[in-house]
Amino acid sequence: MTRRIPQAGLDLLEPVCDYHVLAESGVPGREDVIRAAEGVDGILSLLTERMDAAVMDAAPGLKVIANYAVGFDNIDLGEARRRGVIVTNTPGVLTETTADFAWALIMAAARRIVEGDEEVRSGRWRTWEPQGLLGVDIHGAVLGVVGYGRIGQAVARRGAGFGMEVIFHDPTESGSVPLDELLRRADIISLHVPLTPATRHLIDGGRLRLCKPTAVLVNTSRGGVVDQQALAEALAAGTIFGAGLDVFEEEPLPPGHPLCRLRNVVLAPHIASASRATRDRMAVMAASNLLAALRGETPPNLVVRP
Ligand code: DGY
């Protein structure tokens, strides 16, 4: 196990297998991960560790990599397939929690909650202002969901409660609108696509220029889906109203990054799935996947089958 997961998952592993937690806190070093992989039958990995050929080479008997995340862009699936290593993830259990958080970012960015909080705390708040901290309305707005899988649909369902018109882009679903059209029409844009070579910088400078100057962009998927530099420029120039980001091209976001100097972006440290109950469910699911594969059964949440 590259890093310690909640006890609910460890409780499943403890009676039946000999496991080692590589890093109690923080991210383990790359060389430590490779060394720790030597001779193991299974790896329970986090999205912070790259599971590639070097790691798999260290463990010739490796049967399974059970990722403690729904996303699996940290795993080289081609290498796993070539070696017959099973890969699993934790879908479903974090859908609603992540959708809740996408909404927290939507509301915070559209209604400038963090800026308001700073004003109050710092004592800079003087009076009720007819034109102070004006935001954009959410009710009745057009919600554009990019990627209409489980989480995208859960975000859309919440939009219905705000009387929003929901449009989505997802070529695998009927009713999908072209991405450029969605970006032109949407007031609130929420991203829910996995990071793949096809989705890297899906939202680049050109696409940001299609957005309304009043639009709010929220990303709870993977940082690489957005060209972060282009987004920082668009936010600074005011060609887009605001953004809420839970994920970044490089995590943690390097100190002094241009995004940190902007007030019209709300920044969160990749916590969309971070409720106690959901992290417990993810731990149980990841441990169950791992154990099923080690027992020679088909794990319920297969990404790469044996
Ligand atoms: C995931 O599961 O992929 C999230 O990014 C973290 O919960």
Side-chain angles (χ1 to χ4, degrees), residues 47 68-73 90 94 98 220-222 247 270 272-274 279 282:
L47 55 86
Y68 178 73
V70 65
F72 41 79
D73 47 283
T90 61
L94 48 74
T98 303
T220 52
S221 60
R222 284 292 183 268
V247 287
H270 204 149
S273 70
R279 288 288 166 86
M282 289 167 65

Side-chain angles (χ1 to χ4, degrees), residues 174-258:
S174 68
S176 167
V177 302
L179 180 56
D180 290 359
E181 179 188 331
L182 179 147
L183 296 174
R184 281 193 193 95
R185 282 176 57 195
D187 299 301
I188 309 286
I189 301 153
S190 195
L191 305 179
H192 302 287
V193 289
L195 180 62
T196 66
T199 62
R200 184 171 294 282
H201 286 191
L202 183 68
I203 307 297
D204 59 9
R207 289 221 159 97
L208 286 166
R209 281 191 285 281
L210 300 177
C211 298
K212 298 179 184 179
T214 48
V216 168
L217 175 77
V218 163
N219 190 9
T220 52
S221 60
R222 284 292 183 268
V225 173
V226 177
D227 179 342
Q228 218 165 258
Q229 184 59 36
L231 176 62
E233 285 165 17
L235 288 163
T239 56
I240 180 171
F241 179 80
L245 304 176
D246 185 46
V247 287
F248 303 91
E249 290 195 68
E250 189 185 342
E251 296 183 4
L253 189 65
H257 189 281

